Amino acid sequence: MSFTLQKLTLDEYLTYNDGTDTRYELVDGELVPMSLGTGRHGAIIRYLSRQFEAVLNESGQPWIPLPGFVGVRSPRRGNWDTSRIPDITVLTLAQWEAMADREAVIDFHEPPPKLVVEVVSSSTTTTDYRAKRSEYGLLEILEYWIVDPLSSKITICVLEHQFYDSTEYRGDERIQSPTFPNLNLTVAQILGGKL
């Protein structure tokens, strides 16, 4: 559901303020409010962010996982702008530091994130599985996780020639991540979202 009467450009979106704390994604020039999600949704995001941080600290890789802090400008078929805000975005520290004095949106001309994660909620199922999967592939984001507590599964999408090959994991299956090969987590651990 969108709330704008007229379509916005990316610049208008970045300066938009309706006087509330509502966060929006921009989809084809229209503001789409982002819900807070359930406590479980938040617990999964927090858990995964901490797990990514732990692996990155051990490896010394100069990357950072950011939960809901970074927008990704996305290609769509229309003439209007789209900017998504993944639940977790993993990018280089240098790229994050370059955003210090500007809006935290990765634009088309910038390197894509290393990995993005979306945690599915009842209101985002179609968007997470279809629209974002297509958009993130076109942006050449090498790995996209669809964490689905509603269906008790995690889909890892790995980019091959601008299309994602996907593998579904369930229960006690260990996740296989090309970006995080040392991550030793099962679906049950991630969906449990506990530390």
Side-chain angles (χ1 to χ4, degrees), residues 3-168:
F3 285 89
T4 51
L5 297 177
Q6 71 181 71
K7 295 200 179 237
L8 301 179
T9 65
L10 182 66
D11 289 337
E12 290 168 332
Y13 163 70
L14 295 176
T15 60
Y16 181 80
N17 182 349
D18 64 1
T20 70
D21 290 334
T22 304
R23 291 179 41 176
Y24 298 93
E25 285 187 331
L26 183 68
V27 180
D28 290 329
E30 296 182 13
L31 296 174
V32 177
M34 296 178 61
S35 66
L36 289 175
T38 64
R40 182 177 188 192
H41 188 273
I44 291 168
I45 294 167
R46 184 172 185 259
Y47 178 79
L48 266 179
S49 294
R50 287 184 168 193
Q51 294 300 315
F52 290 154
E53 281 183 19
V55 169
L56 290 170
N57 286 337
E58 287 177 13
S59 72
Q61 192 71 265
W63 301 346
I64 184 168
L66 297 165
F69 297 155
V70 177
V72 178
R73 189 168 180 196
S74 185
R76 301 272 295 190
R77 281 195 285 264
N79 293 327
W80 292 96
D81 290 315
T82 293
S83 182
R84 301 293 190 177
I85 304 173
D87 287 321
I88 303 173
T89 305
V90 178
L91 65 157
T92 65
L93 281 169
Q95 192 170 11
W96 175 237
E97 290 166 356
M99 296 179 195
D101 296 319
R102 66 175 178 90
E103 294 292 333
V105 174
I106 298 171
D107 210 338
F108 297 136
H109 66 279
E110 298 176 282
K114 301 294 180 186
L115 179 147
V116 293
V117 175
E118 296 288 0
V119 179
V120 175
S121 62
S122 57
S123 64
T124 66
T125 301
T126 301
T127 303
D128 291 342
Y129 276 102
R130 299 189 70 169
K132 289 182 181 181
R133 181 177 173 148
S134 174
E135 292 168 27
Y136 293 160
L138 288 172
L139 289 169
E140 298 185 351
I141 298 172
L142 296 179
E143 191 169 336
Y144 171 39
W145 289 28
I146 305 170
V147 178
D148 190 344
L150 304 176
S151 299
S152 300
K153 68 180 179 180
I154 296 176
T155 305
I156 305 290
C157 304
V158 178
L159 194 66
E160 287 291 329
H161 309 291
Q162 290 191 323
F163 292 99
Y164 284 121
D165 289 334
S166 62
T167 305
E168 287 185 3

